[in-house]
Amino acid sequence: MIAAIAAAELGADVTVYEKNEKLGKKLFITGKGRCNVTNDCDPENFFEHVMNSNKKFLYSSYYGFDNNAVMNFFENNGCRLKVERGNRVFPVSDHSSDIIKTLKDRLNELNVQVCLNSEIKGINSFTDENGNRTFASVSVKTGSSVKDVSFDTVIVATGGVSYPITGSTGDGHKFAAGNGHTVTELKPSLCPLLCREKWCANLAGLSLKNVTATLESDGKKVYKEMGEMLFTHTGVSGPLILTASSVLANLKNANNVKLYIDLKPALSDDQFDRRLIRELEEGNLKEIKNILPKIYPSSLVPVILELSKVDGYKKANVISASERKEILKVTKNLELTVTGTASFDEAIITKGGISLKEVNPSTMESKIVKNMYFAGEILDLDAQTGGYNLQIAWSTGHLAGENAASEA
């Protein structure tokens, strides 16, 4: 949509083909339905959150249509925005539908032709006498018929393969590969982590704030951050974990992956031990299982006791120093064995895509097929959670739209 708008604003005659029954189906569910439009950060911070090693690829697109330009676009077109914790930008209404409506209204103003329920089955190119490939037409399926429609240029912005229920089924990757492009390995990213420990299921739905997560692969620390997390029936999720999953997806070889949770990062070992001693002294005749809810969420207490091998029916006044030490160890270093990530069905984004080596970063045009452009998640580009991935989509889409229009 943003690519079509950018192209139409330069006077191009633009057609959008959408295989779904409506526009913005995936955009609708982003940010839990609130749509984290972008991040109100400086450029240095933005590039720090991009996961790819070749961050320079984004220079032209980002500086051509940065986060301020995105925010101005929506504000100027009647969609008021707000900035929340972590500089995350949302519509004031908290409804992603307002973001989609703004884009649709602008498409209408620019007389962009939108064809719904129109699935692209192929992108056709020809090779001239010098061996150069050039885009020619798209094969469009409407109803039961397929026909080839010619255009001057084409922008492929079909997303990755995450949340396939929204239509992201890897079509664009097939089109690109069919026209000579390399598609790097595709992995689910920004998704829950699966863990071996069965007790995670007992905590499903429990959310923890202000905890520290440390991810290790083969004993080497690859990620450490403080934030919010959530237990699931199969492992862990939440903002802190989603970012950890993107780090994990970025590793070439991830083995013996461990996740360590510090449940009380604000307290040193000594400070926590003193807090525990104080609670035990105040409830010295109570069973320890009835004291620990003052320190942890109630549902977490049985897990703490089980892992520290402390009898929950023991009276507080007979808890030994060694038992306190075990409770401390579990609290400051709750260990989880990561067996993998959730599937593409639960992944917010796709790691991998069309090789950046085969796309001109100044224009988003293919280096293999003239007049073919790419934008968004279809590329081998991804970032951490917080509005950064949508910013990549806006920036690359806008640049592709401008250059496709200029070429046309």
Side-chain angles (χ1 to χ4, degrees):
M1 286 187 279
I2 203 70
I5 288 167
E9 284 178 342
L10 289 181
D13 182 11
V14 184
T15 300
V16 172
Y17 288 108
E18 169 61 66
K19 75 175 180 179
N20 289 318
E21 74 284 359
K22 58 185 177 182
L23 292 173
K25 208 165 181 179
K26 189 169 186 183
L27 196 57
F28 183 75
I29 64 171
T30 61
K32 296 180 180 178
R34 296 175 62 216
C35 193
N36 184 185
V37 179
T38 186
N39 194 285
D40 186 19
C41 62
D42 57 37
E44 184 180 352
N45 186 280
F46 169 75
F47 286 107
E48 282 178 1
H49 285 83
V50 175
M51 297 303 296
N52 302 67
S53 56
N54 187 12
K55 298 179 183 185
K56 290 182 179 179
F57 181 89
L58 280 168
Y59 283 5
S60 292
S61 60
Y62 177 76
Y63 287 112
F65 196 67
D66 63 8
N67 50 356
N68 291 310
V70 170
M71 290 186 281
N72 288 337
F73 169 82
F74 285 104
E75 291 274 2
N76 293 340
N77 283 282
C79 183
R80 292 178 56 222
L81 304 174
K82 61 181 177 179
V83 181
E84 296 187 357
R85 181 176 54 85
N87 293 322
R88 299 171 186 230
V89 180
F90 294 90
V92 168
S93 67
D94 283 332
H95 294 145
S96 57
S97 55
D98 286 345
I99 295 297
I100 298 168
K101 183 180 183 300
T102 302
L103 293 163
K104 286 169 63 177
D105 288 348
R106 186 63 181 138
L107 289 169
N108 288 333
E109 289 172 5
L110 294 165
N111 296 315
V112 172
Q113 183 179 358
V114 177
C115 301
L116 301 175
N117 298 303
S118 300
E119 183 179 0
I120 301 298
K121 302 300 289 184
I123 295 181
N124 313 306
S125 59
F126 65 91
T127 305
D128 62 23
E129 62 274 11
N130 297 317
N132 299 316
R133 297 178 75 166
T134 304
F135 162 70
S137 64
V138 291
S139 298
V140 188
K141 181 182 180 182
T142 50
S144 59
S145 63
V146 178
K147 64 176 181 178
D148 290 345
V149 187
S150 298
F151 292 93
D152 295 320
T153 57
V154 65
I155 301 171
V156 187
T158 53
V161 291
S162 53
Y163 277 110
I165 194 172
T166 63
S168 298
T169 51
D171 299 348
H173 297 132
K174 296 171 189 172
F175 304 150
N179 280 277
H181 276 276
T182 303
V183 178
T184 64
E185 182 184 2
L186 305 177
K187 300 179 183 177
S189 187
L190 294 187
C191 57
L193 294 178
L194 307 179
C195 299
R196 182 178 298 156
E197 286 72 16
K198 301 298 183 186
W199 50 260
C200 285
N202 299 333
L203 300 177
L206 174 64
S207 178
L208 300 176
K209 294 182 178 181
N210 301 318
V211 297
T212 298
T214 302
L215 192 69
E216 291 186 1
S217 177
D218 276 335
K220 181 182 178 182
K221 183 171 72 177
V222 294
Y223 169 79
K224 184 178 182 180
E225 198 65 64
M226 179 186 284
E228 185 176 342
M229 64 167 286
L230 172 77
F231 286 98
T232 71
H233 285 93
T234 54
V236 285
S237 188
L240 195 59
I241 303 303
L242 297 184
T243 301
S245 76
S246 69
V247 173
L248 188 60
N250 220 40
L251 296 176
K252 290 184 178 179
N253 294 300
N255 297 299
N256 303 315
V257 180
K258 295 283 187 178
L259 181 69
Y260 298 96
I261 307 297
D262 184 346
L263 298 169
K264 301 290 179 182
L267 301 177
S268 67
D269 288 7
D270 287 342
Q271 287 172 327
F272 177 80
D273 192 40
R274 287 199 296 271
R275 164 85 190 277
L276 182 57
I277 289 172
R278 186 170 71 248
E279 296 294 350
L280 292 172
E281 288 175 346
E282 288 179 3
N284 66 328
L285 296 179
K286 293 181 179 179
E287 294 171 346
I288 189 170
K289 68 182 178 68
N290 296 322
I291 292 173
L292 293 186
K294 292 185 177 181
I295 302 176
Y296 315 95
S298 296
S299 59
L300 191 56
V301 171
V303 174
I304 297 293
L305 291 170
E306 179 187 347
L307 296 179
S308 58
K309 295 180 174 60
V310 175
D311 183 356
Y313 292 96
K314 257 191 171 184
K315 293 289 197 298
N317 58 5
V318 295
I319 297 296
S320 66
S322 61
E323 286 174 317
R324 289 201 325 269
K325 186 176 181 181
E326 288 304 309
I327 293 173
L328 166 69
K329 182 179 176 182
V330 172
T331 302
K332 300 291 288 179
N333 220 29
L334 183 63
E335 182 179 327
L336 289 158
T337 305
V338 178
T339 57
T341 63
S343 70
F344 283 113
D345 290 340
E346 296 181 66
I348 294 174
I349 60 162
T350 303
K351 167 72 181 174
I354 296 169
S355 172
L356 301 184
K357 295 176 183 177
E358 299 168 357
V359 180
N360 185 339
S362 299
T363 62
M364 293 295 132
E365 184 178 19
S366 164
K367 292 180 180 179
I368 295 173
V369 182
K370 184 172 173 54
N371 295 341
M372 179 186 281
Y373 297 77
F374 299 107
E377 196 179 340
I378 191 173
L379 294 161
D380 184 11
L381 281 170
D382 66 288
Q384 295 176 7
T385 184
Y388 304 103
N389 287 289
L390 266 183
Q391 181 60 50
I392 290 174
W394 306 128
S395 294
T396 56
H398 196 270
L399 184 63
E402 286 185 323
N403 284 282
S406 298
E407 184 64 31

